[in-house]
Amino acid sequence: MTAIKPCFAGTPAEIIERYRRTLQKLAKALFGSEVPIIAAVNGPAMGAGLDLACMCDMRIASDKARFSETFVKLGLISGIGGAWFLPRVMGHSRATEMAFSGRVIDAQAALRYGLVSEVVADDELLDRTHALAAEIAANSGLALRYTKRLLRLSERSELSSSLEATAALQTLAHLSEEHQDSVERYLEAARKDKGLPQTGETRGRNLVRPKASA
């Protein structure tokens, strides 16, 4: 206990400011990132560790992973946003169960709860995570950033607001070079699948580029 005290020493105002400048700053940085983030959990994710995993977009666990929102066992609450992140990942009922009980669950329970999307063997975790990252990275970076932005927006907006943002971002996507290149690659792949000769170019650009004004 004496080792813990210096980290949280000071007046209430000083402790609050310390949270803002350290752990909460990390939470905002991870959540605000436009890049998709995958958490690979291979062991105990307890308390702040669980909250950190929930700040990521996706979570893959090894069969050795364990999860718990331990704060109530210590007479504390999550200081880095667990009460905000958990319900968005697991749903309100499961989040309250985890937060109120402080119990430890294994990887299979986490999968049933929707906390993780996949459970793999311990020695396969990094390979599976890298494979998923490569699958995601093969897509348009611009489309990924826009998609993540809209998914975040949808968590706190009405449908009408989300649709307005969608229209604006979709317009930018339509006019981007990444969209033109993606259309070309798609059409070339379709020709290859059908055994047609590769053209080196497609008519995709003519289909999607806006007409020049008169």
Side-chain angles (χ1 to χ4, degrees):
M1 190 66 180
T2 56
I4 296 175
K5 280 184 177 180
C7 298
F8 303 100
T11 65
E14 290 171 339
I15 296 173
I16 290 171
E17 183 60 24
R18 194 172 299 121
Y19 268 106
R20 289 172 176 164
R21 288 188 288 103
T22 56
L23 297 174
Q24 292 183 357
K25 190 174 182 179
L26 172 63
K28 290 179 179 178
L30 282 177
F31 183 75
S33 172
E34 291 190 334
V35 178
I37 302 175
I38 307 170
V41 184
N42 187 25
M46 308 291 187
L50 174 56
D51 294 345
L52 182 64
C54 288
M55 295 170 198
C56 302
D57 300 298
M58 298 152 280
R59 286 153 294 282
I60 299 177
S62 83
D63 50 15
K64 293 184 178 179
R66 299 292 183 270
F67 302 87
S68 179
E69 191 75 344
T70 54
F71 298 104
V72 291
K73 298 289 188 183
L74 303 174
L76 295 171
I77 61 171
S78 170
I80 57 174
W84 195 89
F85 288 105
L86 273 180
R88 285 165 171 77
V89 172
M90 306 175 66
H92 181 79
S93 181
R94 290 299 191 188
T96 54
E97 179 183 338
M98 293 283 290
F100 293 167
S101 69
R103 76 165 61 103
V104 178
I105 63 172
D106 62 18
Q108 290 300 326
L111 183 63
R112 294 195 303 272
Y113 284 12
L115 178 57
V116 302
S117 58
E118 191 173 350
V119 176
V120 299
D122 173 47
D123 57 356
E124 297 175 2
L125 179 62
L126 286 183
D127 287 343
R128 177 62 191 123
T129 304
H130 290 157
L132 177 58
E135 182 181 359
I136 293 169
N139 297 314
S140 162
L142 182 69
L144 287 170
R145 291 192 295 274
Y146 286 175
T147 298
K148 180 169 179 176
R149 189 180 304 178
L150 288 171
L151 288 171
R152 295 298 198 205
L153 178 65
S154 70
E155 295 175 342
R156 58 183 187 276
S157 66
E158 297 180 351
L159 175 61
S160 58
S161 298
S162 180
L163 290 176
E164 285 295 321
T166 296
L169 292 177
Q170 184 75 314
T171 298
L172 294 176
H174 270 300
L175 301 179
S176 71
E177 289 293 332
E178 287 196 31
H179 171 58
Q180 316 304 326
D181 294 341
S182 296
V183 170
E184 291 183 357
R185 287 194 300 271
Y186 177 83
L187 294 178
E188 287 295 332
R191 292 178 63 85
K192 183 177 180 180
D193 289 341
K194 294 179 180 180
L196 299 175
Q198 300 296 289
T199 64
E201 61 178 331
T202 72
R203 295 183 178 86
R205 292 179 182 272
N206 295 329
L207 293 173
V208 295
R209 283 193 184 280
K211 294 180 179 180
S213 58

